[in-house]
């Protein structure tokens, strides 16, 4: 069968690949502790569920505005100084917003700079748009601003910044974000800011947004999600905030791609905003406690940095690898010998590492690490 070169140029998500293996082992009767999933354990708040049900009962099941309902776009715009509903696009999850941004901004051969390691879909979505991902190493899980500046070429179109970071949990300081903002202005570049985990930052830290730098707002798109912030992963509601011409272009693409995001789910999202920040602060406190538990175990088993945000550890497991063994092999070993699922670092462009999610019930988290302790000398 002949398929397009476009689809042949990208890889299947390795996180999805491991999910399939987990389901297979469960079907065989294995008790699996899944520390691979990037999904909070918390139940969707009742107010969100009730608002969604009410929307269904009141007939909000028809086509809606392509860019999103006016009420939700207006409410979201309030978080961005000087913005109105025309600066907001609602889509089927933040993943779709990112896909659309690359489709709208990139021509074949354009480059996008990615601090590495990076979320699995960034590089693949760039390739699907005909672009070239340029990965720049992040020593200590922090952006190397000098290296990013050195990586800029005449073909560079954008820099992607993901903070708090998936998979490392790193939070980038305002000083580094300011340097990236100046670089974008000086070199006429776009900045794509993935802030899906902006609600989950620990140790009393802030998670500064690139939107706070006024000089860069005309070349910035901020992408956020209801999935992680409000435990609404199945609702598939995400949004982008940016200059009106860019948002209009994204809406044009979406009109041919999916049309509007799920109409009644948007009413659930609107109700979610009434719960912010109280529910997020409660969940954040619980996740911070689990972060400390997970780090306490992982730092004794691996070379591991203490994350400041999101809900992942990204330890270096190189010392545990035998000759010729990859992190993917090690993850498979853990799954087979302990029944604990993690994600190999190759999925994020960083071999020799694994990603461990601690967004699971505390008892499950402890049991998962205890199983690893029993098989790792």
């Amino acid at each position: 069968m002949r398929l397009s070169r476009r689809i042949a140029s990208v890889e299947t998500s390795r996180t999805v690949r491991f999910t399939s293996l987990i389901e297979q082992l469960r079907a065989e009767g294995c008790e699996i502790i899944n520390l691979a999933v990037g999904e909070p354990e918390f139940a969707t708040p009742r107010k969100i569920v009730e608002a969604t049900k009410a929307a269904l009962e009141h007939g909000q099941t028809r086509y809606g505005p392509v860019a999103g309902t006016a009420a939700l776009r207006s409410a979201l715009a309030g978080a961005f100084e000087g913005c109105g509903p025309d600066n907001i696009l609602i889509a089927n999850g933040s993943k779709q917003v990112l896909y659309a941004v690359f489709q709208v901004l990139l021509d074949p051969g354009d480059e996008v700079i990615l601090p590495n390691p990076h979320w699995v879909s960034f590089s693949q979505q760039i390739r699907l748009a005909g672009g070239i991902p340029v990965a720049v190493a992040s020593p200590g899980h922090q952006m190397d601003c000098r290296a990013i500046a050195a990586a800029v070429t005449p073909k560079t179109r954008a820099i992607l910044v993901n903070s708090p970071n998936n998979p490392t949990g790193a939070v980038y300081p305002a000083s580094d974000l300011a340097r990236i903002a100046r670089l974008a202005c000086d070199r006429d570049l776009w900045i794509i800011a993935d802030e899906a985990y902006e609600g989950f930052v620990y140790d009393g830290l802030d998670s500064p947004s690139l939107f706070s730098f006024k000089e860069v707002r005309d070349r910035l798109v901020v992408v956020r999600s209801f999935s992680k912030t409000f435990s609404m992963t199945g609702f598939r509601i995400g949004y982008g905030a940016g200059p009106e011409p860019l948002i209009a272009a994204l809406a044009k693409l979406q009109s041919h791609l999916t049309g509007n995001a799920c109409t009644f789910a948007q009413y659930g999202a609107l109700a979610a905003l009434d719960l912010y920040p109280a529910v997020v602060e409660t969940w954040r406190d619980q996740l911070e406690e689990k972060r400390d538990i997970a780090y306490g175990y992982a730092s004794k088993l691996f070379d591991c940095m203490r994350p400041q945000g999101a809900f992942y550890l990204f330890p270096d497991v190189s010392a545990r690898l035998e000759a010729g063994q990859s992190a993917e092999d090690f993850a498979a070993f853990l799954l087979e010998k302990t029944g604990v699922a993690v994600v190999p670092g190759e999925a994020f462009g960083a071999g020799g590492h694994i990603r461990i999610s601690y967004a699971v019930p505390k008892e499950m988290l402890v049991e998962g690490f205890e199983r690893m302790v029993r098989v790792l000398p």
Side-chain angles (χ1 to χ4, degrees), residues 212-266:
S212 63
F213 302 97
K214 294 183 179 181
E215 69 274 15
V216 82
R217 291 178 183 174
D218 64 343
R219 60 184 67 248
L220 169 70
V221 56
V222 175
V223 182
R224 294 180 181 172
S225 169
F226 284 83
S227 294
K228 307 298 193 293
T229 307
F230 297 102
S231 202
M232 295 171 62
T233 51
F235 283 66
R236 307 313 303 136
I237 299 293
Y239 61 99
E244 287 187 23
L246 176 66
I247 296 301
L250 294 174
K252 182 196 296 187
L253 175 62
Q254 187 158 293
S255 73
H256 297 294
L257 186 62
T258 64
N260 61 278
C262 178
T263 305
F264 49 86
Q266 292 184 61

Side-chain angles (χ1 to χ4, degrees), residues 177-197:
L177 297 180
R179 293 176 68 181
I180 295 300
R182 287 196 298 271
L183 176 63
C185 292
D186 291 344
R187 302 298 295 271
D188 190 24
L189 305 175
W190 279 89
I191 298 179
I192 303 160
D194 181 346
E195 299 180 357
Y197 297 89

Side-chain angles (χ1 to χ4, degrees), residues 4-270:
S4 71
R5 288 190 293 271
R6 182 184 306 107
I7 196 62
S9 71
V10 300
E11 300 177 356
T12 300
S13 169
R14 296 194 185 194
T15 55
V16 172
R17 192 179 306 166
F18 260 74
T19 299
S20 300
L21 179 57
I22 291 167
E23 293 307 314
Q24 176 186 333
L25 289 171
R26 281 178 171 160
E28 294 171 359
C30 298
E31 183 184 351
I32 303 299
I33 292 181
N34 192 351
L35 304 184
V37 65
E39 182 174 40
E41 63 155 310
F42 309 114
T44 306
R46 175 54 50 186
K47 182 172 182 178
I48 296 171
V49 174
E50 293 299 333
T52 306
K53 290 169 59 178
L56 279 166
E57 291 168 355
H58 287 89
Q60 300 296 344
T61 59
R62 316 289 288 183
Y63 291 135
V66 168
T69 63
L72 182 56
R73 294 170 73 197
S74 295
L76 290 169
F80 299 93
E81 180 186 24
C83 289
D86 289 341
N87 295 104
I88 304 293
L89 175 92
I90 312 299
N92 298 281
S94 60
K95 183 181 284 192
Q96 185 184 322
V97 180
L98 289 161
Y99 175 87
V101 167
F102 295 128
Q103 293 290 328
V104 164
L105 289 183
L106 302 183
D107 285 321
D110 284 345
E111 297 173 349
V112 179
I113 294 175
L114 301 173
N116 199 56
H118 58 270
W119 180 53
V120 58
S121 290
F122 289 153
S123 56
Q124 306 307 317
Q125 289 187 347
I126 291 166
R127 290 189 178 98
L128 283 168
I132 300 171
V134 178
V136 176
S138 300
H141 296 170
Q142 289 293 324
M143 287 191 298
D144 186 335
C145 295
R146 288 187 179 182
I148 289 173
V152 175
T153 74
K155 293 183 179 180
T156 304
R157 181 67 168 150
I159 302 170
L160 194 152
V161 177
N162 173 211
S163 179
N165 183 266
N166 177 9
T168 67
V171 176
Y172 301 150
S175 58
D176 283 351
L177 297 180
R179 293 176 68 181
I180 295 300
R182 287 196 298 271
L183 176 63
C185 292
D186 291 344
R187 302 298 295 271
D188 190 24
L189 305 175
W190 279 89
I191 298 179
I192 303 160
D194 181 346
E195 299 180 357
Y197 297 89
E198 50 96 19
F200 302 116
V201 179
Y202 314 119
D203 305 320
L205 296 176
D206 291 324
S207 178
S209 173
L210 274 154
F211 190 82
S212 63
F213 302 97
K214 294 183 179 181
E215 69 274 15
V216 82
R217 291 178 183 174
D218 64 343
R219 60 184 67 248
L220 169 70
V221 56
V222 175
V223 182
R224 294 180 181 172
S225 169
F226 284 83
S227 294
K228 307 298 193 293
T229 307
F230 297 102
S231 202
M232 295 171 62
T233 51
F235 283 66
R236 307 313 303 136
I237 299 293
Y239 61 99
E244 287 187 23
L246 176 66
I247 296 301
L250 294 174
K252 182 196 296 187
L253 175 62
Q254 187 158 293
S255 73
H256 297 294
L257 186 62
T258 64
N260 61 278
C262 178
T263 305
F264 49 86
Q266 292 184 61
Y267 286 86
L270 188 61

Side-chain angles (χ1 to χ4, degrees), residues 163 177 290 297 358 373:
S163 179
L177 297 180
K290 293 175 188 177
Y297 276 105
Y358 50 86
V373 167

